[in-house]
Amino acid sequence: MKHLNWSLQNLLFIKNSEVGYLEKYETYETRCCYYNSVENFLKEDKESWFKSMCNSFNSLYHLSLEEAQKRAWIDCFNVLQNELPFVNNKYPGLQIIFEYALPYESGRRPDVILLSKEYVIVLEFKQYADVLQADVDQVKSYVRDLREYHSESRNKKVVPVLLLTGTEEKQQQRYPGIILCSKNGIDELCSKIFLEQITPTDAKKWIDSKYEPLPTIVEAARTFMKHAPLPNIRKVNSTVIPQAIECLKEITKDAKENKKHILALVTGVPGAGKTYLGLQYVYDICESNEHVDSIYLSGNRSLIELLQSTLKSKTFVKNVHSIIKEYTSKIMNSFEHNIIVFDEGQRAWDMNQMKKKREIEKSEADIMIEICDKKLEWCVLLILVGEGQEIYNGENSGLEQWNTAVKKAKNNWEIVCPDKLEKEFSLAVKKYPELDLNISLRTHTAGEVSKFINHFIAGNMEQASLKAIDIINNGFNMYYTRNLEIAKNYCHKRYAGHIDKRYGLLASSKNKELKNYGLRSEFELDIVTWFNGEIGDKNFSNSLELVISEFNCQGLEVDMPIIVWGKDLRWYNSTWYPEGKTDIDKVYRLNSYRVLLTRGRDGFIVFIPPIAEMDIIEKLFKDIGVKELKKTLN
């Protein structure tokens, strides 16, 4: 762990990271460009107000102030100066906030907040008359996150309003989840929302509120680099993750004091936070135990490369296959990691794959247990067990190989696991229900997305349809389209200006039609550039040119994936027909699409190629409640 600490202590600032934004927020007094009472705002001179906005923006953000943004502010000022006098006369004491930056959110900023003790009205201004799905989803996501993570908003009614300044029609319209308003309709809008007199509130207190989102894996790693504990995340604290970590700490203490070898297993659905838990566990243990060293292992090359790049260290995070190769080649001098986390350990290579790759008649599980037996006086080997994610050859032996390895071990290993894994082991186990992470954290839908995808991949479309209703209502956006440009425009529009937001093209590795749509894939992909590149780089995910496969994205996530459906998974007579020569090949193909469909934090878009044989896929998504993504909604 000392190598990790070196990385942590020597990093001063991370370019384009959310930690960097946090430092900026700590330097300045507010997280917005302007706030005041509506009454005082109405007394503002346009020129001085605009100058104040520009100065605040330049102080707060690492972003260039574009001319389009300046024009939008002037348009917004003019509209509000015209409409708010009527509102202020009826509802004195209302507060107004411009460009409030959601903490830890890379500069995501609702345009205007109207605030009282009872209400938070989120006004998102657009200088045209068209209703775009990206704009609707943008304002809905602001409201969702304020309700979910913003402490001072939890007892208030949070109202999403999309305000189109390109139209003067006064009548408000209700689209699913938002109110649509024209530039002349703000007075009438407030009269409908405020059913009684409002109570003034402290805008500064609201601006400085605690805000507790879940970090992505990369963001968590960046926080480790700062040698700082991760934020006390409310959504994590509402799950079993804190209990699981405390349980693992007690297990570690027992192993160290009593010189035990313990095999611990944690299970969880996609997005449950297994990788996050593994990183947090080794961090907490090594912070509290000076003489304990740790290592984080995975067979997922993309995850390893991305974490190594983020941590600026190849010591703490390693590819398990390289550790195995070093040991079996008899060049491993020492192995002093008492805490070993093996991510997706059920996917360790079985004996057949090891014989094929290394000419050794042992599984990776056999060898990891052997290393611990020979090299360590005590240890905790933590296996993070995913569900239904096997996509490589030799990964389908599951936990049986760990059962076999422990039975052959030199030491008497103790096994601890959640109740549902007891049947996987012939030896006695200690059961801990808190080691089953059964709630998804990747999205805002408490695990329902994972259940929806499982039903979908299993062909249980009636059950999938029932899940889809709640998922969409809870703010997870699921779309299909036959027009790739509509999908691309949606992503560019929705995440414009949010430099740490990631969207990108995903496809099955067996999809052979990508070139037909001007898309490309690369066998030797630079995954670090794809995830952490910059605008203008054609290999950066947000450029929407380079497609990655299930092998590249497994264990990672983007905010909005565009999934290119291929001919390798067909639907006919209420049954999936995956491509593959053998039954196991077909299982891998189904799992590949399961992986692709569970990568999104905000949702997903499925691009269904506009050819006749794909019409049945469009009908399938439509029938289960996935909405068609359209260019405009009006």
Side-chain angles (χ1 to χ4, degrees):
M1 190 67 178
K2 56 182 178 291
H3 300 285
L4 176 61
N5 287 343
W6 184 91
S7 295
L8 294 165
Q9 292 165 352
N10 283 274
L11 183 82
L12 298 178
F13 185 79
I14 306 160
K15 182 182 179 182
N16 288 346
S17 75
E18 299 200 356
V19 176
Y21 277 99
L22 181 57
E23 287 183 343
K24 296 296 287 185
Y25 291 145
E26 290 173 346
T27 303
Y28 298 95
E29 290 185 358
T30 61
R31 289 192 173 108
C32 66
C33 289
Y34 175 94
Y35 75 96
N36 213 325
S37 66
V38 168
E39 181 179 3
N40 286 336
F41 166 71
L42 292 172
K43 299 174 184 177
E44 291 280 9
D45 170 72
K46 183 190 297 187
E47 185 176 339
S48 59
W49 174 86
F50 179 72
K51 184 177 180 180
S52 174
M53 288 285 289
C54 293
N55 289 339
S56 296
F57 185 91
N58 290 330
S59 296
L60 281 168
Y61 307 117
H62 295 294
L63 300 172
S64 59
L65 184 51
E66 305 290 343
E67 289 301 316
Q69 179 66 79
K70 294 178 182 179
R71 290 194 298 271
W73 283 346
I74 294 298
D75 182 52
C76 180
F77 181 89
N78 291 336
V79 169
L80 292 172
Q81 287 284 332
N82 185 59
E83 282 288 300
L84 287 183
F86 307 104
V87 176
N88 188 57
N89 288 336
K90 296 177 186 176
Y91 308 103
L94 198 62
Q95 304 292 303
I96 189 167
I97 302 167
F98 286 85
E99 301 289 341
Y100 170 70
L102 301 176
Y104 313 109
E105 294 278 8
S106 307
R108 286 178 65 215
R109 309 179 309 276
D111 289 335
V112 176
I113 301 287
L114 294 179
L115 183 70
S116 73
K117 183 179 179 181
E118 301 85 3
Y119 295 93
V120 180
I121 301 179
V122 180
L123 298 175
E124 189 63 21
F125 283 71
K126 302 298 176 184
Q127 294 176 278
Y128 38 76
D130 288 335
V131 182
L132 305 183
Q133 187 69 61
D135 297 335
V136 171
D137 291 342
Q138 181 185 24
V139 69
K140 285 169 66 176
S141 70
Y142 288 146
V143 168
R144 176 199 66 199
D145 291 347
L146 287 171
R147 288 171 179 162
E148 187 72 25
Y149 305 134
H150 192 271
S151 295
E152 289 294 319
S153 296
R154 285 182 194 145
N155 295 320
K156 295 176 170 57
K157 184 175 181 180
V158 188
V159 183
V161 178
L162 180 60
L163 200 150
L164 303 180
T165 65
T167 178
E168 298 184 358
E169 185 178 333
K170 280 200 170 187
Q171 185 67 36
Q172 283 80 45
Q173 300 179 48
R174 287 191 174 270
Y175 279 74
I178 69 155
I179 299 173
L180 187 66
C181 182
S182 73
K183 66 179 182 180
N184 295 331
I186 298 175
D187 177 26
E188 184 178 333
L189 170 77
C190 290
S191 296
K192 289 184 176 180
I193 293 174
F194 302 145
L195 300 179
E196 53 191 25
Q197 286 298 310
I198 57 97
T199 308
T201 192
D202 185 343
K204 184 66 164 60
K205 183 179 179 183
W206 187 90
I207 291 167
D208 293 338
S209 170
K210 289 182 179 179
Y211 186 85
E212 302 161 332
L214 176 74
T216 66
I217 295 306
V218 173
E219 290 154 9
R222 285 170 174 160
T223 304
F224 293 138
M225 292 177 70
K226 296 293 293 179
H227 200 40
L230 286 167
N232 185 32
I233 301 160
R234 187 175 71 91
K235 200 166 182 70
V236 168
N237 288 341
S238 69
T239 71
V240 296
I241 285 183
Q243 297 96 302
I245 290 175
E246 287 305 312
C247 177
L248 290 169
K249 287 180 180 179
E250 289 300 314
I251 289 168
T252 304
K253 181 181 178 183
D254 180 33
K256 183 180 180 182
E257 291 178 353
N258 298 297
K259 302 296 184 284
K260 290 182 177 181
H261 287 69
I262 297 178
L263 178 68
L265 299 100
V266 169
T267 56
V269 298
K274 298 183 296 296
T275 303
Y276 169 87
L277 176 141
L279 290 170
Q280 181 74 69
Y281 166 56
V282 295
Y283 174 82
D284 285 353
I285 289 296
C286 294
E287 281 296 288
S288 59
N289 293 271
E290 185 176 346
H291 301 294
V292 175
D293 206 348
S294 67
I295 191 168
Y296 191 96
L297 303 177
S298 174
N300 183 337
R301 189 178 74 174
S302 295
L303 176 63
I304 292 297
E305 290 179 357
L306 196 56
L307 286 175
Q308 286 178 342
S309 173
T310 304
L311 289 166
K312 303 292 190 291
S313 171
K314 295 185 178 181
T315 303
F316 170 57
V317 178
K318 284 188 177 292
N319 192 313
V320 68
H321 304 315
S322 66
I323 294 290
I324 297 293
K325 183 178 180 180
E326 186 174 286
Y327 177 77
T328 56
S329 301
K330 303 187 186 304
I331 59 174
M332 179 183 282
N333 294 323
S334 64
F335 187 86
E336 300 175 353
H337 309 288
N338 299 98
I339 306 299
I340 307 113
V341 175
F342 191 164
D343 201 353
E344 298 286 351
Q346 84 286 354
R347 295 171 51 205
W349 285 356
D350 59 20
M351 190 180 298
N352 290 334
Q353 187 73 351
M354 282 295 292
K355 188 174 182 179
K356 178 180 176 181
K357 293 285 189 178
R358 302 278 187 260
E359 298 183 349
I360 295 172
E361 294 190 0
K362 294 179 181 179
S363 70
E364 284 190 330
D366 290 332
I367 295 170
M368 284 306 305
I369 294 293
E370 186 177 312
I371 291 172
C372 295
D373 274 345
K374 289 185 176 181
K375 303 285 186 180
L376 301 172
E377 185 180 25
W378 68 273
C379 73
V380 176
L381 173 54
L382 174 61
I383 308 299
L384 305 178
V385 182
E387 299 175 0
Q389 302 281 301
E390 296 78 21
I391 56 176
Y392 288 88
N393 289 329
E395 289 185 343
N396 216 41
S397 296
L399 296 176
E400 173 56 33
Q401 59 181 319
W402 290 101
N403 178 52
T404 302
V406 170
K407 286 197 297 183
K408 296 188 296 186
K410 181 180 73 173
N411 292 305
N412 293 320
W413 281 71
E414 191 172 289
I415 303 170
V416 299
C417 64
D419 299 38
K420 67 182 184 181
L421 293 188
E422 181 183 14
K423 65 181 184 299
E424 302 289 343
F425 294 93
S426 54
L427 299 175
V429 304
K430 290 185 177 180
K431 295 178 288 184
Y432 294 89
E434 57 264 50
L435 296 183
D436 179 28
L437 310 183
N438 52 18
I439 297 178
S440 176
L441 299 173
R442 178 174 293 140
T443 70
H444 313 269
T445 55
E448 295 304 296
V449 173
S450 178
K451 294 176 184 177
F452 164 78
I453 298 301
N454 285 339
H455 286 310
F456 181 76
I457 294 297
N460 300 325
M461 298 308 167
E462 185 175 347
Q463 293 298 316
S465 178
L466 293 174
K467 292 290 181 188
I469 297 170
D470 288 337
I471 289 168
I472 293 170
N473 288 341
N474 278 290
F476 188 84
N477 307 125
M478 301 192 296
Y479 299 112
Y480 73 85
T481 181
R482 308 300 293 269
N483 186 321
L484 185 57
E485 289 306 308
I486 287 178
K488 289 183 175 183
N489 290 338
Y490 171 93
C491 290
H492 288 316
K493 178 69 176 172
R494 177 169 177 179
Y495 298 110
H498 302 152
I499 61 174
D500 275 357
K501 288 297 180 181
R502 293 292 178 268
Y503 46 90
L505 291 158
L506 280 57
S508 161
S509 57
K510 299 296 183 182
N511 189 330
K512 307 301 183 186
E513 289 80 44
L514 298 178
K515 290 183 179 179
N516 296 340
Y517 307 101
L519 303 176
R520 61 188 176 86
S521 59
E522 292 182 0
F523 181 72
E524 293 294 334
L525 177 74
D526 181 357
I527 197 65
V528 174
T529 297
W530 197 88
F531 271 95
N532 288 343
E534 297 181 352
I535 297 296
D537 189 328
K538 64 181 181 179
N539 292 331
F540 178 39
S541 64
N542 291 12
S543 297
L544 295 177
E545 293 185 31
L546 180 61
V547 182
I548 66 172
S549 74
E550 67 273 18
F551 300 121
N552 307 122
C553 67
Q554 188 173 39
L556 299 169
E557 57 192 19
V558 292
D559 294 284
M560 184 63 68
I562 300 174
I563 301 154
V564 183
W565 205 268
K567 296 180 181 179
D568 55 329
L569 185 57
R570 300 170 183 264
W571 179 256
Y572 181 69
N573 281 346
S574 301
T575 303
W576 287 117
Y577 287 88
E579 181 181 291
K581 295 180 180 179
T582 66
D583 288 344
I584 194 63
D585 287 342
K586 294 174 182 178
V587 170
Y588 287 149
R589 193 55 27 221
L590 283 168
N591 282 345
S592 295
Y593 277 85
R594 190 196 316 273
V595 168
L596 297 174
L597 289 165
T598 54
R599 295 307 95 194
R601 289 170 66 86
D602 290 337
F604 62 73
I605 303 168
V606 176
F607 167 57
I608 304 168
I611 54 178
E613 61 189 292
M614 287 289 186
D615 290 351
I616 192 170
I617 299 295
E618 176 183 10
K619 184 178 186 303
L620 175 63
F621 276 107
K622 184 176 181 179
D623 287 348
I624 63 173
V626 175
K627 296 196 301 181
E628 181 181 5
L629 184 63
K630 298 180 179 180
K631 187 174 182 179
T632 62
L633 299 181
N634 56 349

